[in-house]
Each structure stands twice: as C-alpha cells, then as structure tokens.
Short mmCIF file of all heavy atoms in Angstrom, two decimals:
data_model
loop_
_atom_site.label_atom_id
_atom_site.label_comp_id
_atom_site.label_asym_id
_atom_site.label_seq_id
_atom_site.Cartn_x
_atom_site.Cartn_y
_atom_site.Cartn_z
N MET A 4 114.66 93.96 175.67
CA MET A 4 115.66 95.03 175.68
C MET A 4 117.01 94.51 176.14
O MET A 4 118.06 94.93 175.63
CB MET A 4 115.19 96.17 176.58
CG MET A 4 113.98 96.93 176.06
SD MET A 4 113.41 98.21 177.19
CE MET A 4 114.85 99.28 177.23
N HIS A 5 117.00 93.57 177.11
CA HIS A 5 118.26 93.00 177.58
C HIS A 5 118.99 92.29 176.44
O HIS A 5 120.18 92.53 176.20
CB HIS A 5 117.98 92.04 178.73
CG HIS A 5 119.16 91.21 179.13
ND1 HIS A 5 120.22 91.72 179.87
CD2 HIS A 5 119.48 89.91 178.88
CE1 HIS A 5 121.11 90.78 180.06
NE2 HIS A 5 120.70 89.67 179.47
N PHE A 6 118.28 91.41 175.73
CA PHE A 6 118.92 90.68 174.65
C PHE A 6 119.26 91.59 173.48
O PHE A 6 120.25 91.36 172.77
CB PHE A 6 118.03 89.53 174.19
CG PHE A 6 118.00 88.37 175.15
CD1 PHE A 6 116.86 88.07 175.86
CD2 PHE A 6 119.12 87.59 175.34
CE1 PHE A 6 116.83 87.01 176.75
CE2 PHE A 6 119.11 86.52 176.21
CZ PHE A 6 117.96 86.23 176.93
N SER A 7 118.46 92.63 173.28
CA SER A 7 118.80 93.60 172.23
C SER A 7 120.09 94.33 172.59
O SER A 7 120.95 94.55 171.72
CB SER A 7 117.65 94.58 172.05
OG SER A 7 117.98 95.56 171.09
N ALA A 8 120.22 94.73 173.87
CA ALA A 8 121.44 95.40 174.29
C ALA A 8 122.65 94.47 174.19
O ALA A 8 123.74 94.88 173.76
CB ALA A 8 121.29 95.91 175.73
N GLN A 9 122.45 93.19 174.58
CA GLN A 9 123.55 92.24 174.44
C GLN A 9 123.92 92.02 172.98
O GLN A 9 125.10 91.90 172.63
CB GLN A 9 123.14 90.90 175.08
CG GLN A 9 122.96 90.96 176.58
CD GLN A 9 124.25 91.30 177.30
OE1 GLN A 9 125.33 90.83 176.96
NE2 GLN A 9 124.14 92.14 178.32
N SER A 10 122.91 92.00 172.10
CA SER A 10 123.19 91.84 170.67
C SER A 10 123.95 93.05 170.13
O SER A 10 124.90 92.89 169.34
CB SER A 10 121.88 91.65 169.92
OG SER A 10 122.10 91.56 168.53
N ASN A 11 123.55 94.24 170.55
CA ASN A 11 124.26 95.45 170.11
C ASN A 11 125.69 95.46 170.61
O ASN A 11 126.61 95.87 169.89
CB ASN A 11 123.53 96.69 170.59
CG ASN A 11 122.23 96.92 169.84
OD1 ASN A 11 122.05 96.44 168.73
ND2 ASN A 11 121.31 97.64 170.46
N ARG A 12 125.88 95.01 171.85
CA ARG A 12 127.23 94.96 172.40
C ARG A 12 128.09 93.97 171.63
O ARG A 12 129.27 94.22 171.34
CB ARG A 12 127.16 94.57 173.88
CG ARG A 12 128.50 94.59 174.60
CD ARG A 12 128.31 94.50 176.10
NE ARG A 12 129.58 94.52 176.79
CZ ARG A 12 130.26 93.42 177.13
NH1 ARG A 12 129.77 92.24 176.84
NH2 ARG A 12 131.42 93.51 177.75
N THR A 13 127.49 92.82 171.28
CA THR A 13 128.21 91.83 170.48
C THR A 13 128.56 92.38 169.10
O THR A 13 129.67 92.17 168.58
CB THR A 13 127.38 90.55 170.35
OG1 THR A 13 127.09 90.04 171.65
CG2 THR A 13 128.12 89.50 169.54
N ASN A 14 127.62 93.11 168.52
CA ASN A 14 127.88 93.73 167.22
C ASN A 14 129.01 94.75 167.30
O ASN A 14 129.84 94.85 166.38
CB ASN A 14 126.61 94.40 166.70
CG ASN A 14 125.54 93.40 166.32
OD1 ASN A 14 125.84 92.23 166.06
ND2 ASN A 14 124.29 93.83 166.30
N ASP A 15 129.04 95.53 168.39
CA ASP A 15 130.14 96.49 168.58
C ASP A 15 131.49 95.77 168.63
O ASP A 15 132.47 96.20 168.02
CB ASP A 15 129.93 97.29 169.86
CG ASP A 15 128.82 98.32 169.72
OD1 ASP A 15 128.47 98.66 168.57
OD2 ASP A 15 128.30 98.77 170.76
N ILE A 16 131.52 94.67 169.40
CA ILE A 16 132.78 93.93 169.54
C ILE A 16 133.21 93.34 168.19
O ILE A 16 134.38 93.45 167.79
CB ILE A 16 132.62 92.81 170.59
CG1 ILE A 16 132.37 93.43 171.97
CG2 ILE A 16 133.85 91.92 170.61
CD1 ILE A 16 132.06 92.41 173.04
N MET A 17 132.24 92.74 167.48
CA MET A 17 132.58 92.14 166.19
C MET A 17 133.00 93.21 165.17
O MET A 17 133.92 92.98 164.37
CB MET A 17 131.38 91.36 165.66
CG MET A 17 131.02 90.14 166.48
SD MET A 17 132.42 88.99 166.64
CE MET A 17 132.71 88.58 164.93
N ARG A 18 132.38 94.38 165.19
CA ARG A 18 132.76 95.44 164.27
C ARG A 18 134.16 95.95 164.58
O ARG A 18 134.97 96.21 163.67
CB ARG A 18 131.74 96.59 164.34
CG ARG A 18 132.00 97.65 163.28
CD ARG A 18 130.92 98.74 163.29
NE ARG A 18 130.88 99.44 164.55
CZ ARG A 18 129.89 99.35 165.43
NH1 ARG A 18 128.86 98.55 165.18
NH2 ARG A 18 129.91 100.03 166.55
N THR A 19 134.47 96.07 165.87
CA THR A 19 135.81 96.52 166.25
C THR A 19 136.87 95.50 165.83
O THR A 19 137.92 95.85 165.29
CB THR A 19 135.86 96.74 167.77
OG1 THR A 19 134.89 97.72 168.15
CG2 THR A 19 137.25 97.23 168.19
N LEU A 20 136.58 94.23 166.10
CA LEU A 20 137.54 93.19 165.70
C LEU A 20 137.70 93.14 164.18
O LEU A 20 138.82 92.93 163.68
CB LEU A 20 137.06 91.83 166.22
CG LEU A 20 137.09 91.63 167.74
CD1 LEU A 20 136.53 90.28 168.11
CD2 LEU A 20 138.51 91.79 168.28
N THR A 21 136.62 93.34 163.45
CA THR A 21 136.71 93.33 161.99
C THR A 21 137.55 94.50 161.49
O THR A 21 138.37 94.36 160.56
CB THR A 21 135.31 93.40 161.38
OG1 THR A 21 134.54 92.29 161.85
CG2 THR A 21 135.36 93.37 159.87
N ALA A 22 137.35 95.69 162.10
CA ALA A 22 138.13 96.86 161.70
C ALA A 22 139.62 96.65 162.00
O ALA A 22 140.49 96.99 161.19
CB ALA A 22 137.61 98.10 162.42
N LEU A 23 139.93 96.08 163.18
CA LEU A 23 141.33 95.82 163.52
C LEU A 23 141.93 94.79 162.56
O LEU A 23 143.11 94.90 162.16
CB LEU A 23 141.43 95.32 164.96
CG LEU A 23 141.08 96.35 166.05
CD1 LEU A 23 141.14 95.71 167.43
CD2 LEU A 23 142.05 97.54 165.98
N THR A 24 141.14 93.78 162.20
CA THR A 24 141.63 92.79 161.23
C THR A 24 141.91 93.44 159.89
O THR A 24 142.92 93.14 159.22
CB THR A 24 140.59 91.68 161.08
OG1 THR A 24 140.35 91.07 162.35
CG2 THR A 24 141.07 90.62 160.09
N ALA A 25 141.02 94.37 159.47
CA ALA A 25 141.22 95.07 158.20
C ALA A 25 142.45 95.96 158.25
O ALA A 25 143.14 96.16 157.23
CB ALA A 25 139.98 95.90 157.86
N ILE A 26 142.76 96.54 159.43
CA ILE A 26 143.96 97.38 159.56
C ILE A 26 145.22 96.54 159.42
O ILE A 26 146.20 96.92 158.74
CB ILE A 26 143.94 98.13 160.89
CG1 ILE A 26 142.83 99.20 160.88
CG2 ILE A 26 145.30 98.78 161.19
CD1 ILE A 26 142.65 99.88 162.22
N PHE A 27 145.24 95.36 160.05
CA PHE A 27 146.45 94.55 160.03
C PHE A 27 146.58 93.71 158.76
O PHE A 27 147.65 93.14 158.52
CB PHE A 27 146.48 93.62 161.26
CG PHE A 27 146.91 94.32 162.52
CD1 PHE A 27 145.97 94.87 163.38
CD2 PHE A 27 148.26 94.44 162.83
CE1 PHE A 27 146.36 95.51 164.52
CE2 PHE A 27 148.66 95.08 163.98
CZ PHE A 27 147.71 95.63 164.84
N LEU A 28 145.55 93.66 157.95
CA LEU A 28 145.66 92.86 156.73
C LEU A 28 146.71 93.42 155.76
O LEU A 28 147.57 92.64 155.27
CB LEU A 28 144.28 92.79 156.05
CG LEU A 28 144.19 91.89 154.82
CD1 LEU A 28 144.53 90.45 155.20
CD2 LEU A 28 142.81 91.97 154.20
N PRO A 29 146.73 94.72 155.44
CA PRO A 29 147.81 95.22 154.56
C PRO A 29 149.19 95.11 155.22
O PRO A 29 150.20 94.97 154.52
CB PRO A 29 147.41 96.66 154.29
CG PRO A 29 146.48 97.03 155.38
CD PRO A 29 145.76 95.79 155.75
N LEU A 30 149.26 95.19 156.55
CA LEU A 30 150.55 95.03 157.22
C LEU A 30 151.07 93.61 157.03
O LEU A 30 152.28 93.40 156.81
CB LEU A 30 150.40 95.35 158.71
CG LEU A 30 149.76 96.70 159.07
CD1 LEU A 30 149.84 96.94 160.56
CD2 LEU A 30 150.43 97.84 158.30
N ASN A 31 150.18 92.66 157.12
CA ASN A 31 150.59 91.28 156.85
C ASN A 31 151.02 91.10 155.40
O ASN A 31 151.93 90.31 155.09
CB ASN A 31 149.43 90.32 157.16
CG ASN A 31 149.13 90.26 158.65
OD1 ASN A 31 150.01 90.49 159.48
ND2 ASN A 31 147.89 89.95 158.99
N LEU A 32 150.35 91.84 154.50
CA LEU A 32 150.73 91.77 153.08
C LEU A 32 152.14 92.29 152.87
O LEU A 32 152.95 91.68 152.16
CB LEU A 32 149.73 92.57 152.24
CG LEU A 32 150.03 92.66 150.75
CD1 LEU A 32 150.03 91.26 150.12
CD2 LEU A 32 149.04 93.58 150.05
N ILE A 33 152.44 93.45 153.49
CA ILE A 33 153.80 94.01 153.37
C ILE A 33 154.84 93.06 153.95
O ILE A 33 155.89 92.81 153.36
CB ILE A 33 153.86 95.39 154.04
CG1 ILE A 33 152.94 96.38 153.31
CG2 ILE A 33 155.29 95.92 154.08
CD1 ILE A 33 152.84 97.73 154.00
N ALA A 34 154.51 92.52 155.14
CA ALA A 34 155.46 91.59 155.76
C ALA A 34 155.63 90.34 154.90
O ALA A 34 156.74 89.80 154.79
CB ALA A 34 154.96 91.21 157.15
N GLY A 35 154.56 89.89 154.29
CA GLY A 35 154.66 88.71 153.44
C GLY A 35 155.49 88.98 152.19
O GLY A 35 156.24 88.11 151.74
N ILE A 36 155.35 90.19 151.62
CA ILE A 36 156.14 90.51 150.42
C ILE A 36 157.62 90.51 150.74
O ILE A 36 158.44 89.93 150.01
CB ILE A 36 155.69 91.85 149.84
CG1 ILE A 36 154.26 91.72 149.26
CG2 ILE A 36 156.67 92.34 148.77
CD1 ILE A 36 153.69 93.02 148.77
N PHE A 37 157.99 91.19 151.84
CA PHE A 37 159.42 91.26 152.18
C PHE A 37 159.93 89.94 152.74
O PHE A 37 161.13 89.78 152.95
CB PHE A 37 159.67 92.39 153.17
CG PHE A 37 159.72 93.74 152.53
CD1 PHE A 37 158.57 94.52 152.42
CD2 PHE A 37 160.90 94.24 152.01
CE1 PHE A 37 158.60 95.75 151.82
CE2 PHE A 37 160.95 95.48 151.41
CZ PHE A 37 159.79 96.25 151.31
N GLY A 38 159.04 89.00 153.01
CA GLY A 38 159.50 87.70 153.47
C GLY A 38 159.66 86.68 152.35
O GLY A 38 159.99 85.53 152.61
N MET A 39 159.43 87.10 151.09
CA MET A 39 159.61 86.18 149.95
C MET A 39 161.08 85.86 149.73
O MET A 39 161.96 86.69 149.99
CB MET A 39 159.02 86.81 148.70
CG MET A 39 157.51 86.96 148.73
SD MET A 39 156.88 87.68 147.20
CE MET A 39 155.13 87.70 147.57
N ASN A 40 161.36 84.68 149.23
CA ASN A 40 162.73 84.21 149.00
C ASN A 40 163.22 84.55 147.60
O ASN A 40 163.76 83.71 146.89
CB ASN A 40 162.81 82.70 149.23
CG ASN A 40 162.56 82.32 150.67
OD1 ASN A 40 162.98 83.05 151.57
ND2 ASN A 40 161.88 81.21 150.90
N PHE A 41 163.01 85.79 147.16
CA PHE A 41 163.58 86.26 145.90
C PHE A 41 164.92 86.94 146.19
O PHE A 41 165.09 87.58 147.23
CB PHE A 41 162.63 87.23 145.20
CG PHE A 41 161.38 86.55 144.68
CD1 PHE A 41 160.16 86.72 145.33
CD2 PHE A 41 161.43 85.75 143.55
CE1 PHE A 41 159.03 86.10 144.86
CE2 PHE A 41 160.29 85.13 143.08
CZ PHE A 41 159.08 85.30 143.73
N GLN A 42 165.84 86.83 145.22
CA GLN A 42 167.15 87.46 145.44
C GLN A 42 167.10 88.96 145.28
O GLN A 42 167.77 89.69 146.00
CB GLN A 42 168.18 86.87 144.45
CG GLN A 42 169.58 87.41 144.67
CD GLN A 42 170.59 86.75 143.74
OE1 GLN A 42 170.24 85.90 142.92
NE2 GLN A 42 171.87 87.13 143.87
N PHE A 43 166.29 89.42 144.34
CA PHE A 43 166.22 90.87 144.09
C PHE A 43 164.83 91.38 144.50
O PHE A 43 163.83 91.10 143.84
CB PHE A 43 166.48 91.19 142.61
CG PHE A 43 167.84 90.74 142.14
CD1 PHE A 43 168.00 89.57 141.39
CD2 PHE A 43 168.98 91.48 142.48
CE1 PHE A 43 169.25 89.16 140.99
CE2 PHE A 43 170.22 91.05 142.06
CZ PHE A 43 170.37 89.89 141.31
N ILE A 44 164.76 92.06 145.63
CA ILE A 44 163.56 92.71 146.15
C ILE A 44 163.94 94.15 146.47
O ILE A 44 164.96 94.40 147.11
CB ILE A 44 163.02 92.01 147.40
CG1 ILE A 44 162.56 90.58 147.06
CG2 ILE A 44 161.84 92.79 148.00
CD1 ILE A 44 162.03 89.81 148.25
#
C-alpha cells in the first residue's frame, strides 16, 4: 500500500506537469510565430 500510494502520488505529479506543459505549448507556438523574422506579420 505504501508503494502504491507513492506510485499514485507520482502519477498525480506527472499528470499535473503534463497538463501544464500542454497549456504552455500553444503559448510557445504563439510566441514563436510572432518571433519569426518576416517583414509582414
């Protein structure tokens, strides 16, 4: 039960980090688009 609880806690942390990464992924995309060196954007 101890290792199962630790595994569940690790899964919670990894799921939260994955969700936060998924949230910031489109933000990085937007920042990357506006950071392109094109004259007309």
Side-chain angles (χ1 to χ4, degrees):
M4 292 177 62
H5 170 76
F6 285 111
S7 177
Q9 293 297 320
S10 177
N11 289 337
R12 184 167 180 267
T13 302
N14 291 338
D15 287 341
I16 295 174
M17 293 304 299
R18 186 176 62 250
T19 301
L20 292 177
T21 302
L23 292 176
T24 301
I26 291 174
F27 281 93
L28 185 61
L30 308 187
N31 292 333
L32 177 61
I33 296 174
I36 291 175
F37 281 92
M39 294 181 179
N40 294 323
F41 291 105
Q42 183 176 1
F43 300 102
I44 296 179

